[in-house]
Amino acid sequence: EIARVLDCTKPFEMGFTVQDESGKRLYVCSAHFVRFRHIKDNPEEPSNGKASRRIKCVVWDLDHTLWEGVLVESDPSQPYPPLRDGVKSVLQELDKRGILLSVASKNTLEEAQHALEHHGLWSLFVVPQINWNRKSESVGAIARELNIGLDTLAFVDDQSFERDEVQSVLRSVRTYDASAMLELLGKPEFSGDRNTSGP
């Protein structure tokens, strides 16, 4: 049944929720649990260990990465989640260094665009991929649209599952935990073209 709707050759998440069903039981007849091995022990370092080439584009997740919380779960009275501390300055500095910015997020395009416009960030992002596809598909599409090598892309996401999924398919892409976002500017691969000046 699962194989009908999911590609079981790729990583995926599954959740079961009990909703006040008394007397009901769920039997799992067969299950395999796999944990991805990180090449580096330090989660703040790129997981494929390739940090020599400069990053040309940083691809960002949205929920729990650029902003606090999940967009689709926002209170109608406050439809736009607040940005995480320091996000705007990091994005602006990367842009100033000549590094492209994009988005790979599982959200509704219109709602995500409105939220980014509300925070004054939408114009910073090129070829954003906001849909319900696997993150690896979205990151790959960004690389093709920009015509740049996968080894010059960085992907930032708060979920290790999403970072692992991208790494398992696009091994040259460097992945970073969103918790280390404020440290990206000090990493040599994010130096960009420091001679680039803004308008």
Side-chain angles (χ1 to χ4, degrees):
E1 291 297 319
I2 294 173
R4 293 180 184 178
V5 294
L6 291 174
D7 180 358
C8 292
T9 64
K10 305 293 183 185
F12 61 89
E13 287 185 324
M14 180 184 297
F16 297 103
T17 304
V18 179
Q19 299 191 0
D20 300 325
E21 293 283 352
S22 59
K24 303 288 185 182
R25 292 186 180 182
L26 172 68
Y27 293 93
V28 179
C29 298
S30 177
H32 296 276
F33 297 90
V34 178
R35 183 180 181 89
F36 285 96
R37 179 179 64 85
H38 289 278
I39 294 174
K40 283 190 172 285
D41 294 330
N42 185 352
E44 297 178 0
E45 291 298 321
S47 57
N48 61 7
K50 298 179 180 179
S52 57
R53 294 198 66 181
R54 288 185 180 180
I55 295 295
K56 293 181 180 179
C57 178
V58 183
V59 181
W60 299 86
D61 173 45
L62 295 178
D63 296 333
H64 293 298
T65 297
L66 286 191
W67 52 55
E68 303 285 355
V70 178
L71 181 59
V72 296
E73 297 175 0
S74 298
D75 187 325
S77 63
Q78 295 179 322
Y80 305 121
L83 293 177
R84 293 183 62 186
D85 290 342
V87 161
K88 203 162 192 173
S89 61
V90 169
L91 294 175
Q92 290 172 339
E93 178 59 27
L94 290 171
D95 181 60
K96 195 179 298 184
R97 295 180 184 184
I99 297 174
L100 299 172
L101 305 172
S102 191
V103 171
S105 173
K106 292 178 180 176
N107 265 298
T108 302
L109 174 59
E110 185 178 11
E111 293 178 354
Q113 180 175 345
H114 289 164
L116 290 168
E117 287 174 340
H118 170 78
H119 291 300
L121 298 177
W122 177 252
S123 62
L124 289 176
F125 298 108
V126 296
V127 296
Q129 301 294 307
I130 301 172
N131 48 51
W132 300 102
N133 297 337
R134 292 194 299 267
K135 294 291 181 74
S136 60
E137 292 181 15
S138 294
V139 173
I142 291 167
R144 289 191 298 273
E145 288 281 341
L146 297 177
N147 194 29
I148 60 177
L150 291 171
D151 59 347
T152 64
L153 277 175
F155 174 60
V156 183
D157 197 295
D158 66 295
Q159 293 190 46
S160 60
F161 165 79
E162 298 290 8
R163 298 192 305 272
D164 288 339
E165 192 273 324
V166 169
Q167 270 283 288
S168 70
V169 180
L170 308 172
R171 297 192 61 81
S172 298
V173 174
R174 283 168 268 181
T175 61
Y176 299 81
D177 192 330
S179 65
M181 173 185 58
L182 298 181
E183 300 168 25
L184 297 183
L185 297 178
K187 295 181 180 294
E189 62 266 36
F190 291 91
S191 60
D193 181 1
R194 293 183 179 273
N195 296 322
T196 300
S197 57

